[in-house]
Amino acid sequence: MHVLILGGTTEARRLAELLHGTPGLRLTSSLAGRVASPRLPPGEVRVGGFGGAEGLTAWLREHGVDALIDATHPFAGTMSFHAARAAATSHVPLLALRRPGWAPAPGDHWHDVGSLDEAARLLPTLGRRVFLTTGRMGLAAFAALDDLWFLVRSVDAPEAPHPARMEVLLDRGPFTLAGERELLRRHRVDVLVTKDSGGAATAPKLTAAREAGVPVVVVRRPPVPEGVTVVPDPQAAAHWVEELLTARPRPAHPSG
C-alpha cells in the first residue's frame, strides 16, 4: 500500500517515523520546498509543488497512491483544498492531520483576527514595537506601517516587500520560555503577532507575553475542507493507516 504524506511539519515527520518500516507499506513524504534546509523524514521524499489539484491528481494516479494524508501546516489552506479535490477525483482515502489550536488562558490579552491584513490594521492601536512570528511569507501586509518597529522571526530570510523598520531573527523552534522572556525584554516588545499554529514548539511566546502583559494578535487558521476526517496527532493518523492496511485483501498464494 502506497501512502503519500503532504507536509514538512513536525507532525508529518513524526508520522513518517511511526510508519517507516511497516511491512507492506510504501511511504512517500512531499515537502513544499519553501524552507532552504528542511528536516527530512525517513522514507521516500519529494520536494516541490504538484501544479494544483489537477497535478496532484495525476501524481496520485501515476504513482499508485492508495491513501493520502494532509499533514501540511494549519495555514496551508490552498494545499488542503487541492488535496481534498484530488483525493475525491482519484477516489483515494484522505485524512487531515492537524495539531489542535491554541486556547487563551487567564491573563491573556488576545485579539482574534481573520487575516494578516486585519492584523496590520489593528496593530497601531496596540503598540509600537512588534514581535512578528507569522513567518517570512506575507510581510507585505505590514510594509506600510512606517511608524512601527518589527522584530521578524523566521527560518529563512524574508524578501521584500516588508516593513522598513525591521530586525530579522533567523531561528527555528522549539523555543524555551526563558528565551522568549529574554527576547521580549531585550527588544522592548509591546505587542506580539502570531498565527494560531498550535503545538508546543512555539507556544512559550504566548506564556511570556501573558507574564509581561503584552497583547497578542492571533490570526485564525483557515478551515479544513468540508467532509475531510481530521485527527489531532500522528499516533491517530498512524492508526488510520494501519486500519487501511489491515483491511486490504491479501494476495492469494498458489497451492501445491
Side-chain angles (χ1 to χ4, degrees):
M1 187 173 83
H2 188 189
V3 176
L4 175 63
I5 301 175
L6 302 175
T9 59
T10 301
E11 290 77 16
R13 288 192 301 274
R14 178 57 183 152
L15 177 58
E17 292 168 357
L18 290 172
L19 295 177
H20 183 61
T22 300
L25 187 66
R26 177 188 172 194
L27 193 62
T28 302
S29 296
S30 178
L31 312 184
R34 292 179 177 173
V35 177
S37 300
R39 296 171 178 170
L40 298 180
E44 300 178 35
V45 178
R46 69 171 301 279
V47 179
F50 291 94
E54 292 78 10
L56 178 55
T57 299
W59 201 96
L60 296 177
R61 290 172 172 166
E62 179 182 352
H63 293 83
V65 173
D66 300 293
L68 178 62
I69 299 177
D70 172 16
T72 56
H73 191 276
F75 281 83
T78 299
M79 188 65 229
S80 293
F81 278 90
H82 287 171
R85 182 176 167 188
T89 302
S90 306
H91 304 289
V92 170
L94 170 64
L95 182 76
L97 170 55
R98 289 289 184 276
R99 70 187 77 147
W102 291 316
D108 280 328
H109 301 284
W110 284 16
H111 301 265
D112 288 338
V113 296
S115 66
L116 293 178
D117 289 334
E118 189 178 344
R121 290 193 294 271
L122 181 62
L123 274 180
T125 70
L126 298 176
R128 286 293 181 268
R129 298 184 64 82
V130 184
F131 183 21
L132 192 58
T133 65
T134 55
R136 66 188 179 92
M137 311 295 288
L139 293 186
F142 306 93
L145 298 177
D146 295 335
D147 293 338
L148 276 58
W149 177 89
F150 291 84
L151 175 65
V152 176
R153 182 165 67 191
S154 63
V155 176
D156 295 317
E159 299 177 355
H162 53 65
R165 302 175 61 203
M166 179 182 75
E167 179 176 335
V168 176
L169 176 61
L170 299 182
D171 204 354
R172 189 198 306 257
F175 303 106
T176 66
L177 178 55
E180 299 293 64
R181 286 168 174 158
E182 173 59 20
L183 188 148
L184 295 184
R185 185 199 63 79
R186 185 171 69 251
H187 293 281
R188 295 179 287 116
V189 169
D190 58 12
V191 59
L192 166 67
V193 182
T194 183
K195 293 178 177 178
D196 181 18
S197 301
T202 60
K205 64 189 173 187
L206 302 174
T207 303
R210 182 189 314 128
E211 293 175 349
V214 169
V216 181
V217 180
V218 182
V219 182
R220 294 186 298 271
R221 54 173 71 178
V224 174
E226 187 176 353
V228 176
T229 300
V230 182
V231 296
D233 55 59
Q235 290 76 16
H239 180 68
W240 181 80
V241 172
E242 290 162 0
E243 286 189 327
L244 289 179
L245 188 58
T246 301
R248 284 175 65 85
R250 301 297 180 182
H253 294 284
S255 58

